[in-house]
Amino acid sequence: MKEMTFRDLVQKRYSCRDFLDTEIDKNILDEIADAARLQPSAVNSQQYKIHICTKNAARRVSKARGMYNRFIENVPAFIVITEDRRNIALKAINLAQYNDWVPIDIGIVVSAICYRALELGVSSCILGLYKEKEIQEIIGDKNKVAIVIALGYQKEEKDRPKKRRSFDEICVYHEE
């Protein structure tokens, strides 16, 4: 099989909603999490924790979905990212800039997770609806749950065309 370029990954990645219940090897999950760990963050603060939920923990996370996302019932693994806001230097920068870099850094981490997973043959879906308190209890972390990512193998290969606005609608050059 031909190795995928980053462009191939960008073209191929979509939010999978049709997962097999096949377990993901721990070494693959480690590779995915390590790609996330290596991402840059504001003042190298790394103000997040990456929780990998498999087996019974994954089943419990799938039930903490609320009334939505029923497609995650058999998902074999989840990555839960929580905020860890202990870095004093970043707090000062956030105040001075009137900005919050933690969600931006977490967005970078999430992107790395999804693309590294796909490179390793694992599909993903970023979940925005979940029962935070239940997930905090499952992972033993009282910090804010920033995002939950479902990971697994898709049931069947799909060639889905990207429905995106045109380049000119999204991208604007400024030269002066």
Side-chain angles (χ1 to χ4, degrees):
M1 186 167 109
K2 174 187 155 269
E3 191 170 319
M4 285 191 276
T5 66
F6 185 73
R7 178 69 180 194
D8 294 335
L9 292 169
V10 170
Q11 283 294 127
K12 186 174 178 169
R13 195 211 170 269
Y14 70 96
S15 294
C16 180
R17 289 182 174 80
D18 199 16
F19 292 96
L20 295 170
D21 61 0
T22 306
E23 277 190 37
I24 302 169
D25 185 90
K26 183 183 182 305
N27 293 327
I28 291 174
L29 292 169
D30 287 350
E31 283 284 328
I32 294 166
D34 201 43
R37 179 188 68 83
L38 294 171
Q39 295 309 300
S41 62
V43 297
N44 198 26
S45 61
Q46 303 167 55
Q47 293 203 117
Y48 41 80
K49 180 79 75 170
I50 300 168
H51 302 268
I52 305 163
C53 300
T54 61
K55 301 182 185 200
N56 191 48
R59 285 186 284 284
R60 291 178 64 203
V61 169
S62 75
K63 289 178 179 17
R65 70 180 182 276
M67 58 190 269
Y68 301 102
N69 298 330
R70 296 202 187 285
F71 66 90
I72 67 171
E73 283 182 356
N74 296 317
V75 169
F78 291 90
I79 290 183
V80 177
I81 301 175
T82 57
E83 294 183 3
D84 183 5
R85 294 179 172 265
R86 290 182 280 181
N87 189 290
I88 301 298
L90 188 59
K91 285 180 185 179
I93 289 170
N94 285 346
L95 287 172
Q97 292 284 320
Y98 304 105
N99 202 350
D100 186 357
W101 294 100
V102 176
I104 295 166
D105 291 344
I106 289 172
I108 294 167
V109 166
V110 169
S111 183
I113 288 168
C114 293
Y115 286 113
R116 182 63 174 137
L118 183 58
E119 184 181 37
L120 296 170
V122 177
S123 294
S124 61
C125 187
I126 302 165
L127 307 172
L129 297 170
Y130 44 80
K131 295 178 180 176
E132 182 177 36
K133 295 283 185 218
E134 287 182 33
I135 292 175
Q136 287 170 324
E137 185 177 305
I138 294 164
I139 62 175
D141 186 336
K142 293 182 181 182
N143 288 311
K144 178 180 175 19
V145 173
I147 203 82
V148 177
I149 305 167
L151 295 173
Y153 299 104
Q154 64 185 20
K155 282 189 179 172
E156 67 180 62
E157 188 76 23
K158 294 181 182 175
D159 187 20
R160 294 173 34 148
K162 295 276 185 178
K163 295 177 185 174
R164 302 291 186 266
R165 296 188 311 189
S166 74
F167 183 90
D168 292 335
E169 290 177 278
I170 300 286
C171 303
V172 179
Y173 278 94
H174 300 272
E175 297 178 352
E176 290 187 29

